[in-house]
């Protein structure tokens, strides 16, 4: 019972320290957070976390060890999802560059702007195909600039905003150099994508090292519990649980910091604030 009370006190102390640091340092509001998860996925995460908490507590007899393992187990899927989001962001930049090149070539063959959008909707990269099909439908039901702005609001990407801005200006002012402008946008998107891939390659080494550090730490702790439990006897008492809670909080905070660094940064958008309209 004393161990449980100590675990609760240690957990509350760690939370208070974290809140105090967050209040002093402040937090940066992100324009684009991780996407909402389904209740099923969220339930599975908490189920795995709860199972890890119960198993570790029963095996070691330390509630704070269970809390630490459960917290890390809860954060691992978030880390994996952040990596997936970065990959999707790179693929989206490449897809938008490809579509801009397709528009350029179609318009260069003396096709109108509406016709070019309609022709490229079904042959565009798969990642953009559904949005472009909705754009083609909207273009028949509303003005082309409004349809393009709705497309930009759906995609939510700075490169898409540049393409839409160029197309809107061309539609409203009959621009003659649209093909050259689309070529420049496509080239810029390719360069940004290449730069992001180089950064991602450098990050991959950091993430791999961090993953091995986490695995080695857990393997070492598990080995001590199973093979040399006498070295861990100081953690059985009230003070030991408080110390273990602080160590677990620091470890979980390090994992969360790595997750925060792994999230793709929100890029400034030219058409931010524009909302999509239903097709």
């Amino acid at each position: 019972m004393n161990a449980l009370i100590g675990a609760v006190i240690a957990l509350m102390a760690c939370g208070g320290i974290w809140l105090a640091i967050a209040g002093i340092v402040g937090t940066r509001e992100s324009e684009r957070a991780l996407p909402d998860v389904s209740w099923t996925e969220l339930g599975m995460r908490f189920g795995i976390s709860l199972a890890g908490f119960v198993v570790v507590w029963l095996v070691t007899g330390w509630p704070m060890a269970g809390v630490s393992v459960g917290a890390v187990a809860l954060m691992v899927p978030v880390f994996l999802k952040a990596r997936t989001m970065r990959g999707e962001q790179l693929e989206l930049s490449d897809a938008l560059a490809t579509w801009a090149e397709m528009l350029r070539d179609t318009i260069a063959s003396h096709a109108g702007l509406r016709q070019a959008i309609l022709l490229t909707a079904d042959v565009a990269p798969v990642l953009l195909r559904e949005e472009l099909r909705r754009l083609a439908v909207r273009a028949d039901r509303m003005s082309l600039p409004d349809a393009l702005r709705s497309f930009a609001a759906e995609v939510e990407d700075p490169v898409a905003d540049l393409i839409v801005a160029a197309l809107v200006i061309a539609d409203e002012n009959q621009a003659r150099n649209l093909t050259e402008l689309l070529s420049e946008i496509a080239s810029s998107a390719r360069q940004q994508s290449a730069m992001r891939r180089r950064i991602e390659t450098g990050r991959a080494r950091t993430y791999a090292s961090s993953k091995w550090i986490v695995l080695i730490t857990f393997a070492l702790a598990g080995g001590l519990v199973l093979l040399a439990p006498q070295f861990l006897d100081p953690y059985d008492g009230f003070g030991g649980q408080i110390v273990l809670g602080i160590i677990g909080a620091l470890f979980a905070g390090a994992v969360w910091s790595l997750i925060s660094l792994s999230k793709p940064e929100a890029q400034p958008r030219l058409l931010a604030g524009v909302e999509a309209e239903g097709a």
Side-chain angles (χ1 to χ4, degrees):
M1 187 64 183
N2 291 335
L4 179 59
I5 295 175
V8 173
I9 294 175
L11 184 62
M12 294 175 63
C14 294
I17 294 173
W18 182 83
L19 289 175
I21 295 174
I24 295 173
V25 177
T27 57
R28 182 179 63 181
E29 183 177 358
S30 176
E31 297 179 8
R32 191 173 185 178
L34 289 173
D36 295 334
V37 297
S38 64
W39 286 106
T40 303
E41 182 180 356
L42 196 60
M44 290 180 61
R45 288 184 187 178
F46 277 102
I48 295 173
S49 176
L50 181 61
F53 165 73
V54 173
V55 170
V56 173
W57 188 0
L58 292 177
V59 171
T60 63
W62 302 330
M64 285 312 304
V67 170
S68 301
V69 172
V72 173
L74 191 63
M75 288 186 289
V76 167
V78 182
F79 175 68
L80 297 177
K81 185 173 286 291
R83 294 186 62 181
T84 302
M85 286 183 62
R86 295 196 312 273
E88 291 177 350
Q89 191 178 62
L90 292 173
E91 293 177 1
L92 181 59
S93 295
D94 290 337
L96 287 166
T98 300
W99 182 55
E101 293 167 348
M102 295 172 64
L103 282 176
R104 175 200 62 195
D105 297 337
T106 306
I107 293 173
S109 62
H110 305 289
L113 184 53
R114 288 177 182 269
Q115 185 181 7
I117 293 174
L118 182 62
L119 291 174
T120 58
D122 291 329
V123 295
V126 178
L127 193 60
L128 285 174
R129 197 165 295 171
E130 290 299 324
E131 289 81 359
L132 288 174
R133 286 172 177 170
R134 286 194 291 269
L135 170 60
V137 173
R138 289 193 185 102
D140 289 335
R141 299 182 179 180
M142 62 179 70
S143 66
L144 184 58
D146 291 339
L148 288 168
R149 293 187 182 98
S150 294
F151 168 77
E154 282 186 351
V155 177
E156 294 184 342
D157 189 90
V159 178
D161 289 351
L162 291 175
I163 297 174
V164 166
L167 297 179
V168 169
I169 293 174
D171 181 71
E172 294 179 346
N173 300 314
Q174 300 298 320
R176 297 181 180 179
N177 59 342
L178 179 59
T179 55
E180 297 178 4
L181 184 56
L182 288 173
S183 296
E184 292 294 331
I185 293 175
S187 176
S188 176
R190 298 288 188 195
Q191 292 175 4
Q192 290 183 23
S193 179
M195 179 183 65
R196 290 177 181 176
R197 291 186 187 280
R198 289 194 295 270
I199 294 174
E200 187 65 22
T201 301
R203 283 179 169 180
R205 292 191 290 268
T206 303
Y207 298 144
S209 301
S210 302
K211 179 181 69 175
W212 280 109
I213 290 173
V214 172
L215 292 176
I216 292 172
T217 301
F218 276 104
L220 179 61
L224 288 175
V225 170
L226 296 176
L227 303 177
Q230 64 273 14
F231 289 102
L232 303 176
D233 289 342
Y235 291 111
D236 291 336
F238 178 80
Q241 284 299 292
I242 293 179
V243 172
L244 186 61
I246 295 174
I247 295 173
L250 292 174
F251 190 80
V255 174
W256 183 254
S257 299
L258 185 64
I259 292 174
S260 301
L261 291 173
S262 68
K263 293 179 182 179
E265 295 185 0
Q267 302 294 324
R269 292 185 52 214
L270 184 63
L271 301 178
V274 178
E275 297 182 357
E277 299 183 16

